[in-house]
Amino acid sequence: MAIPILRAAISDSHVFFNSLSHTTRLLSIPKKTRLIDSASASASASAPSEINPLRSEVSFCVGTHLIPHPNKVDKGGEDAFFVSSYNGGVVAVADGVSGWAEQNVDPSLFPQELMANASNLVGDEEVNYDPQILLKKAHTATSSKGSATVIVAMLEKNGVLKIASVGDCGLRVIRKGKLIFSTLPQEHYFDCPYQLSSEVITQTYLDATVTSVKLFEGDTIVMGSDGLFDNVFDHEIVSTITQYSDAAEAAKALANLASNHSMDSNFESPYSLEARTRGFDVPFWKKVLGVKLTGGKPDDITVVVGQVVSS
């Protein structure tokens, strides 16, 4: 069963990357399949980046890793992301909805442009360090055809993390080996998440889930496209994060774990469990034989790990 997904980027004191970017500092990633209709109005790359703004109490030290969908390696996948050093730090991930390919539209173009616009607008006075307004202005400035799920997180120097998300890109906060915060996905129905789009019938910044959480030195955030969260359980994320002191190594380990799970037809993944609870399963005659729907979900996998450090 295929699912829709979206991606993101970085710039100057911000750094932007599309899904084809390969740099030694930061990079980007891939995501989704179902479009919203009118009725529902192993190539990989990794790179660490330290966000070290002046005169701030805390900031992010960031590591990223991208593994495109096995069938999209040549184009680099359909995710995009950005990391910025502005204020306490800004990170974002966008996941392009792959269903656009059925209309001969490249699903990677919309998330790439969306993230490029967002990275350029981070310091805009009208944005005023508000992730929801950043989504509004970046979406308005995006002219490419397509759609994407997206999440933006902005760290204030005082440690307050402000988050705005549309769809099923996600964020987790880990403190002292425990999960203390998790975003929740938005969807119209199974496999069809909320998404920003070039079409007027879909969601806008007003539909974003907006939250904030207080972070402290030593906390870690994990952000990613659904390629991560559909294939890796939260307890696995926590366990993996606690094994690494380096953000880039942690991001790489999580991406590799998600990739391995996505290709394992016997793995009881978060995706297959969710599918069964929504009524998707093997035919009845297979159930009689004790067979059930299992397996990971091959997808673009984008992982961003941000460690909260004192400046």
Side-chain angles (χ1 to χ4, degrees), residues 7 22 27 51 72 99 150 157 171 203-204 224 234 239 304:
R7 324 303 178 208
H22 293 79
L27 51 93
I51 300 173
K72 303 172 185 178
V150 60
K157 296 176 182 180
L171 183 147
Q203 286 67 58
T204 72
D234 284 348
S239 175
V304 179

Side-chain angles (χ1 to χ4, degrees), residues 26 37 90 109 115 166 172 225 234 255 284:
L26 296 166
D37 57 30
V90 183
L109 298 181
M115 289 292 97
V166 177
R172 307 288 187 266
S225 59
D234 284 348
F284 179 75

Side-chain angles (χ1 to χ4, degrees), residues 16-282:
F16 166 77
F17 298 97
N18 63 26
S19 58
L20 298 177
S21 299
H22 293 79
T23 87
T24 57
R25 292 294 294 171
L26 296 166
L27 51 93
S28 97
I29 316 162
K31 194 170 179 175
K32 238 124 245 115
T33 58
R34 289 191 185 173
L35 306 181
I36 296 174
D37 57 30
S38 56
S40 61
S42 205
S44 66
S46 68
S49 174
E50 293 191 4
I51 300 173
N52 190 24
L54 300 177
R55 299 182 299 280
S56 65
E57 296 177 2
V58 294
S59 59
F60 277 138
C61 177
V62 178
T64 66
H65 200 84
L66 153 68
I67 301 178
H69 186 292
N71 296 334
K72 303 172 185 178
V73 172
D74 291 344
K75 64 181 287 187
E78 294 160 1
D79 283 354
F81 72 83
F82 81 81
V83 176
S84 169
S85 62
Y86 189 77
N87 204 342
V90 183
V91 289
V93 174
D95 182 358
V97 175
S98 62
W100 283 97
E102 298 172 6
Q103 300 183 27
N104 295 317
V105 174
D106 185 344
S108 69
L109 298 181
F110 183 90
Q112 289 175 11
E113 185 182 355
L114 180 69
M115 289 292 97
N117 290 332
S119 69
N120 290 330
L121 288 164
V122 164
D124 187 275
E125 288 186 3
E126 293 182 10
V127 170
N128 195 27
Y129 218 62
D130 183 330
Q132 189 176 26
I133 301 304
L134 181 62
L135 286 179
K136 173 187 178 182
K137 291 181 72 70
H139 187 196
T140 299
T142 300
S143 59
S144 295
K145 194 172 182 63
S147 58
T149 60
V150 60
I151 185 167
V152 178
M154 294 177 151
L155 180 64
E156 297 276 12
K157 296 176 182 180
N158 62 7
V160 174
L161 183 71
K162 298 186 290 188
I163 307 159
S165 62
V166 177
D168 58 3
C169 290
L171 183 147
R172 307 288 187 266
V173 176
I174 299 165
R175 177 176 298 157
K176 297 180 179 179
K178 294 183 178 180
L179 182 69
I180 67 160
F181 176 83
S182 175
T183 58
L184 297 176
Q186 301 169 303
E187 61 180 10
H188 297 277
Y189 49 87
F190 184 65
D191 235 15
C192 185
Y194 281 24
Q195 51 201 262
L196 298 183
S197 174
S198 58
E199 309 304 298
V200 296
I201 63 169
T202 53
Q203 286 67 58
T204 72
Y205 74 103
L206 294 173
D207 297 294
T209 296
V210 180
T211 53
S212 64
V213 58
K214 177 70 172 181
L215 300 184
F216 300 93
E217 183 180 1
D219 288 351
T220 299
I221 70 162
V222 175
M223 280 179 60
S225 59
D226 67 345
L228 169 64
F229 300 107
D230 281 343
N231 289 300
V232 180
F233 289 98
D234 284 348
H235 70 85
E236 294 179 297
I237 292 175
V238 173
S239 175
T240 301
I241 285 295
T242 57
Q243 296 177 44
Y244 296 90
S245 59
D246 180 78
E249 289 300 316
K252 180 179 179 181
L254 283 173
N256 285 335
L257 180 62
S259 180
N260 290 338
H261 284 344
S262 73
M263 305 304 291
D264 186 349
S265 61
N266 295 315
F267 178 62
E268 190 99 76
S269 68
Y271 177 67
S272 60
L273 286 174
E274 176 72 7
R276 293 208 306 270
T277 63
R278 300 297 188 93
F280 297 92
D281 209 337
V282 297

